[in-house]
Amino acid sequence: MTFAATIDIHSDRQHPIDPMIYGHFLESAFFGNIDGGVFDEGSPLSYGGDDVRSGLRKDVIELCRELGLPIVRWPGGNFTSAYHWEDGIGPRAGRPRRLELAWGSEEDNRFGTDEFLAWCAEVGTVPYLAHSCRDVDEAVRWVEYTNYAGDTEYTRRRGRPPYGVQYWGLGNEVYGDWQLGHRPAAAYAADAAEHARFMRAVDPALKFVAVGQPDADWTETVLRAVGNQIDYLSFHLYGATTQLIDGAAEYDAIVAQSLYFEQQIAQYSDLVGALAARTGVDRPLGLAMDEWNIRHVEPASWPEPQPSDDGGTVARDVDGLSTHPAQRVNRWSPRTLADALFYAGVFHALHRAGAREVPVTMANTVNLLNANGVIVARPNGSVRAATYHVWDLYQNHLGPIALAADVRSPGRLTDVRQGDERDHRGEFRSMPATVPDLDVSATTDGETIRIAVINRHREDTIRAGLSLDGRREALPARCAVKRLSADDVLAVNTLGAPDTVALRDLGTADFDGSYEFPPHSITVLSFER
C-alpha cells in the first residue's frame, strides 16, 4: 500500500527529555503578568486575610496546578536589570513605590520575593530567581534571605524556614543597550564569576544561568571566565506574525517558524560545545532558552490595544490606517490554533535537541499569564488559552524518553521567517527551506509508545504509514488517540467560549499500520506494548 507519508520509530535511538523545557516566565510590571494576573488584591477570586498569600488569584492557581509547572522564572526579563529585591519584602504598606525603568511604569512592590515564593508553593512549582548581576553584595544578601538557615538580620526578617531557592539567573540580556547595566562581554563575565563565587559561598547547592547569546565572541568570553561555575547558558528566541493584519494568510508563516527555532538551537548548541572544549570547561552545561514566544505585531499607528473582559482585545477602528510597518507587539491579543501548532513544533525541536552534545535543558515561555500567555485572567475569571493545551498534551500525555523518528512527508519549499529580524526596509528576514507537512516526536515511558504528529497543512488530511524499527506489525492493532484542533486556524478561547480549542480524547481506534492525520492539528497516538 502506498502512503503520502511514512513514520518509522526507532526504539534503539533514545535520550531523555528534561521536564524543565516546559517551564514558564513571569515578569513584574508587565501587561498583567502580576497585577491583575497572579496577584489581584481585593478581588473576590483572590485569597483574603493578611498573610503572604493575600491577593493571590485562586482561579489562576487552580489552572496552574492542573497543568503542572516545572519551573517559573521571575521577576523578569528586562525588569530584572533595575530591580532591588529588598524593596519587595517586609510589610506591604511600608514598601517603597518606585519609578520602573524597563516598561516605564510605577512599581508598588506589593508582590515581592515572599509573595512569589508563596505562589510557587501553592502552585507546586520550582522557583527560578533572576538577579541583575550588578551588585554582588545585593545578590549575596538575597540568597541569605531566601536560603540561609542561621540567625542573621536577614533570616529574622524572613521570619520562616529557608525557602531553598536553587535556580538563579546571573543577569538578563546584558549584551543589549536596552538594559540598565548593559556592559561588554569581559565586564559581564567578570561580574558573573564574582557573583557565582560568593552566592555559592552562602549556599553551595545553587545552580546558575549565565547570559549567553548566539555570538561567538560573547559566548567564548563568558565561558572562559565562568564556564566552570555555571550550569546553564541562556539564549532567547522570538518568532513574529502579522496575523492581526493578515489573518489566516499568515498561517503558513506561523507554523513554519519552528524550523527557524530548531536551526538556531542546533547552531548555538554546536557553538557552545566547541567553545566549551576550547576554553577548558569540563562542567556539564545545558542551554536555557529562558525567553521564547511568537510575537503578534501590528502597526504603531493603530490605537493602543486594550484588554477586553472576555480575554481578548477591545475592538478598535483601524479602517484607513496604515498596515506598514508592523513593529509594535500587541501584548493582549489571544493565542490562536496556529500559534499552538507553532509551539508544538518548538517542543518537537527541543525533544530532538536533547540528543545534542549541549542540550536545551530548560525553556521558559514568555509569558505564563496574560501578555500572550498560556492562561488569560480578567477581573471576572480566567481561561485556558489555546496554547495551554499544547503544554498539557506534551508534558502530561507524552513520555519522558524521546525516540528517534525517521519521517518522509510531503512538504513545500518556501521562505521561512527568521524570527523578528528585519531588513533595511522593515520587512521580515527570511530564508528558503523545505517545510514538511508532518512533524513527528515519538516518546516512551518504557511501557507505552506515544507518537505526536503535527499536520501543518492547512487543508489536506495526510495518511501516513507507521512502523516500529522498520516493522509495521511491531505496533499493536489498537491505539488511544488524543487531538488538539479546531475548525478555524485562528480560533481562540475566551471566557465565554473556553473550549473552542481544546484537547479531545477520541478513545481507542483500530490500527492497520496507517493513520489519517487531519489538517491543522496535533494528534497523539498511544500504543501499549
Side-chain angles (χ1 to χ4, degrees):
M1 185 181 297
T2 302
F3 305 111
T6 59
I7 301 167
D8 188 24
I9 309 304
H10 296 276
S11 62
D12 60 341
R13 293 157 51 193
Q14 56 182 254
H15 58 268
I17 298 170
D18 197 306
M20 289 206 302
I21 65 168
Y22 304 119
H24 298 274
F25 172 102
L26 288 170
E27 180 148 12
S28 292
F30 191 78
F31 297 90
N33 263 216
I34 304 300
D35 292 332
V38 301
F39 187 67
D40 199 356
E41 288 183 291
S43 167
L45 300 174
S46 299
Y47 284 116
D50 56 4
D51 68 1
V52 70
R53 297 190 311 167
S54 177
L56 301 181
R57 280 277 293 259
K58 292 184 285 187
D59 58 332
V60 170
I61 287 170
E62 286 303 315
L63 289 180
C64 291
R65 287 174 177 167
E66 174 188 313
L67 181 61
L69 310 182
I71 192 166
V72 178
R73 181 184 178 208
W74 175 86
N78 292 350
F79 182 89
T80 298
S81 294
Y83 182 61
H84 295 290
W85 69 271
E86 286 194 60
D87 287 347
I89 63 171
R92 289 179 190 171
R95 298 179 190 178
R97 188 177 185 89
R98 304 285 193 197
L99 171 63
E100 188 279 311
L101 296 176
W103 304 108
S105 62
E106 294 180 2
E107 171 60 35
D108 61 20
N109 286 297
R110 293 180 70 82
F111 185 93
T113 299
D114 293 292
E115 285 77 15
F116 173 65
L117 296 177
W119 179 84
C120 288
E122 287 290 305
V123 167
T125 190
V126 172
Y128 163 17
L129 294 177
H131 186 262
S132 66
C133 202
R134 293 192 298 118
D135 184 330
V136 68
D137 185 66
E138 181 184 59
V140 163
R141 301 309 164 198
W142 202 3
V143 179
E144 179 184 351
Y145 182 82
T146 59
N147 290 15
Y148 186 56
D151 180 16
T152 69
E153 176 190 351
Y154 283 105
T155 62
R156 291 175 185 176
R157 292 172 70 181
R158 184 181 69 217
R160 51 148 288 151
Y163 290 107
V165 178
Q166 189 174 26
Y167 293 88
W168 294 80
L170 302 174
N172 176 76
E173 296 180 357
V174 180
Y175 48 79
D177 60 8
W178 55 90
Q179 297 293 329
L180 183 66
H182 157 63
R183 51 214 188 270
Y188 166 71
D191 288 341
E194 184 183 29
H195 278 66
R197 175 186 174 189
F198 288 103
M199 292 169 74
R200 198 169 268 145
V202 181
D203 185 347
L206 300 189
K207 292 183 179 293
F208 292 119
V209 183
V211 174
Q213 62 160 327
D215 174 87
D217 290 340
W218 177 279
T219 301
E220 181 171 0
T221 301
V222 172
L223 287 177
R224 196 173 295 280
V226 75
N228 280 314
Q229 295 174 268
I230 62 173
D231 303 276
Y232 302 87
L233 200 60
S234 74
F235 70 115
H236 297 166
L237 285 176
Y238 287 94
T241 171
T242 59
Q243 63 184 282
L244 297 170
I245 304 168
D246 302 319
E250 271 285 282
Y251 170 80
D252 289 334
I254 294 167
V255 298
Q257 284 180 75
S258 62
L259 274 71
Y260 163 72
F261 273 57
E262 187 152 15
Q263 176 195 55
Q264 293 297 302
I265 291 166
Q267 289 179 354
Y268 197 47
S269 172
D270 289 348
L271 177 65
V272 172
L275 293 177
R278 180 190 302 176
T279 56
V281 176
D282 54 17
R283 186 182 182 92
L285 289 177
L287 300 182
M289 193 168 75
D290 57 3
E291 287 189 27
W292 70 278
N293 208 324
I294 187 166
R295 288 167 165 157
H296 292 187
V297 295
E298 65 181 24
S301 62
W302 287 12
E304 285 280 350
Q306 300 296 327
S308 65
D309 289 341
D310 70 349
T313 306
V314 173
R316 297 170 289 172
D317 183 5
V318 299
D319 288 346
L321 297 180
S322 172
T323 59
H324 185 80
Q327 293 184 323
R328 180 177 68 199
V329 180
N330 184 327
R331 309 286 186 181
W332 296 108
S333 61
R335 304 283 94 175
T336 67
L337 176 66
D339 295 325
L341 268 63
F342 159 78
Y343 286 109
V346 174
F347 283 140
H348 287 199
L350 291 172
H351 291 179
R352 290 187 283 264
R356 306 193 74 85
E357 179 185 4
V358 183
V360 178
T361 48
M362 184 197 299
N364 309 77
T365 189
V366 178
N367 292 274
L368 169 65
L369 188 73
N370 293 327
N372 315 136
V374 299
I375 297 172
V376 178
R378 293 294 187 264
N380 57 329
S382 56
V383 65
R384 303 167 188 83
T387 49
Y388 179 101
H389 300 289
V390 179
W391 264 259
D392 180 25
L393 183 62
Y394 280 81
Q395 72 180 44
N396 297 325
H397 299 281
L398 294 185
I401 299 170
L403 302 176
D406 290 340
V407 181
R408 293 188 178 184
S409 164
R412 59 193 176 90
L413 179 64
T414 187
D415 287 334
V416 174
R417 194 169 292 162
Q418 303 296 286
D420 198 14
E421 293 187 23
R422 312 296 180 108
D423 63 19
H424 65 281
R425 299 165 299 175
E427 303 289 345
F428 291 117
R429 295 186 184 277
S430 61
M431 294 287 288
T434 298
V435 181
D437 291 334
L438 298 189
D439 190 352
V440 179
S441 179
T443 69
T444 185
D445 58 6
E447 300 293 332
T448 304
I449 292 176
R450 296 180 171 90
I451 305 172
V453 180
I454 306 166
N455 182 356
R456 295 186 177 107
H457 202 286
R458 189 192 323 215
E459 299 171 347
D460 290 354
T461 295
I462 297 176
R463 178 174 285 277
L466 288 87
S467 58
L468 176 64
D469 298 324
R471 297 186 304 116
R472 196 159 295 141
E473 64 274 14
L475 290 170
R478 291 186 65 78
C479 61
V481 183
K482 290 184 171 62
R483 180 169 298 138
L484 183 63
S485 64
D487 293 336
D488 182 358
V489 297
L490 298 182
V492 302
N493 291 338
T494 65
L495 269 71
D499 296 317
T500 304
V501 182
L503 182 59
R504 318 288 182 189
D505 188 338
L506 303 183
T508 58
D510 292 332
F511 177 72
D512 62 358
S514 67
Y515 193 86
E516 287 190 341
F517 297 97
H520 55 264
S521 67
I522 310 165
T523 304
V524 172
L525 306 180
S526 297
F527 295 90
E528 298 286 346
R529 298 186 72 185

